[in-house]
Amino acid sequence: MLRTPSPDGLRFAFGTLTVLPVKVTRWDRDAARGGMLCAPLAGLTVGVAAAAAGLLLLALGAGTLLAAVATAAVPAVLTRGLHLDGLADTADGLGSGKPAEDALRIMKQSDIGPFGVLTLLFTLLAQVAALAQAYDGSWARGALAAVVSATAARLALTTAARTGVPAARPEGLGAAVAGVVPAGGALAATAAVTLAGAAAGAYLGPYDALRTALAVVCAAAVAELLLRHCVRRFGGVTGDVFGGVAETAATTALVVLVLG
C-alpha cells in the first residue's frame, strides 16, 4: 500500500537534493522512499528560484541570453553541481567502453575525462540556448521552462529509484535510494507532474498545455532510456547515474518546450 511521504521524507528530499539548510534526521529506507517520492517538490522549489533569478535580470534590463545563463546556473548552485558532476562521470564511464568494474572505477575518480567535458559543454549550451529562446517568447514562457525542467529533472530521480532498479555498488547515495520507490508510486508521481505541467501551461494557451505535458513525458522517457543503458553497462545505478538522468531529463524538457 502506498503511504503518504512523512516530514522525514521531505527533509530527506530537500536535505540531500538541495543546499537548503534542511537537516536530514533519518537515513533509513522508509525516509529514503519518502524523500525520493518528494524529489519533484524539491525540483519545483529549485525551478522557482531559477525562474526568479532570470526574471529579476530581465526586470533590471538584461537581455534574454544573460537571463538564461542565470536560470541555468541557479540549479547548479542549489545542488552544489552534483547532478552536473554525475552527468560528467556517467559520460566518462559509458564513453570508456570498459567492463562494468573498470567503468565504475573511472566514475569514482575525482577528475573529469574528455567524454565528461564534452557532455557538460553541450548539455549546458543546450540548456542556455533553449532557455534564451523561451525568454524570447515571453517572460512567462521562460519562467515556465525553468520550473518545468527542474521539476522533470527530479521526477527522473523518483522513477530511477523505483523497485527493480538495482544499485551498482553496495555503498553511496545511489545504494541508499536504489529500489526504494514502489512502481505505483513512480507512476503516480509521473502522472501528477505531467498534469501539473499541463495545468501550468494552460495559462499560456491550449497548445502550451499540451506541449508542457509532452515535455514532461519526453523528459521521463529519455531519462528512462539512459537509466536502462546504465543498468545494462554498470549492473545498476550509482549516485552519478542519478545525476546523469536528472540533467538529461532537464535538458530534454527544455528542448521540447521550445520546439514548434
Side-chain angles (χ1 to χ4, degrees):
M1 181 178 178
L2 184 63
R3 294 170 294 174
T4 302
S6 67
D8 289 318
L10 283 170
R11 283 192 286 268
F12 189 98
F14 282 88
T16 58
L17 301 179
T18 74
V19 297
L20 298 176
V22 178
K23 183 178 180 181
V24 180
T25 55
R26 287 174 53 191
W27 286 93
D28 55 83
R29 299 284 284 180
D30 282 343
R33 169 194 161 275
M36 298 313 287
L37 282 170
C38 292
L41 294 178
L44 176 63
T45 303
V46 170
V48 169
L55 294 180
L56 176 60
L57 283 176
L58 289 178
L60 293 175
T64 55
L65 180 57
L66 184 57
V69 171
T71 302
V74 168
V77 172
L78 291 182
T79 58
R80 298 188 184 92
L82 287 178
H83 292 164
L84 289 170
D85 180 67
L87 175 67
D89 288 340
T90 300
D92 281 334
L94 292 174
S96 71
K98 295 185 178 297
E101 184 178 348
D102 294 331
L104 289 171
R105 186 172 62 251
I106 290 172
M107 292 164 65
K108 275 193 93 170
Q109 294 174 356
S110 59
D111 60 332
I112 298 178
F115 290 106
V117 171
L118 288 172
T119 300
L120 279 180
L121 174 64
F122 288 117
T123 296
L124 289 173
L125 282 174
Q127 290 181 2
V128 170
L131 284 164
Q133 184 175 340
Y135 279 124
D136 280 335
S138 70
W139 66 265
R141 293 184 193 282
L144 177 66
V147 174
V148 170
S149 63
T151 306
R154 279 69 185 177
L155 172 64
L157 300 181
T158 302
T159 57
R162 71 181 181 274
T163 303
V165 179
R169 299 191 187 102
E171 76 284 343
L173 181 59
V177 300
V180 297
V181 175
L187 183 61
T190 301
V193 173
T194 302
L195 290 174
Y203 284 97
L204 298 176
Y207 177 73
D208 287 281
L210 178 61
R211 182 165 59 178
T212 304
L214 182 63
V216 175
V217 172
C218 288
V222 175
E224 178 67 16
L225 289 176
L226 175 60
L227 174 68
R228 293 190 179 196
H229 183 54
C230 289
V231 170
R232 286 195 300 270
R233 283 282 284 107
F234 307 140
V237 292
T238 67
D240 287 331
V241 172
F242 276 101
V245 298
E247 290 297 334
T248 297
T251 307
T252 301
L254 288 172
V255 170
V256 174
L257 284 169
V258 296
L259 294 178

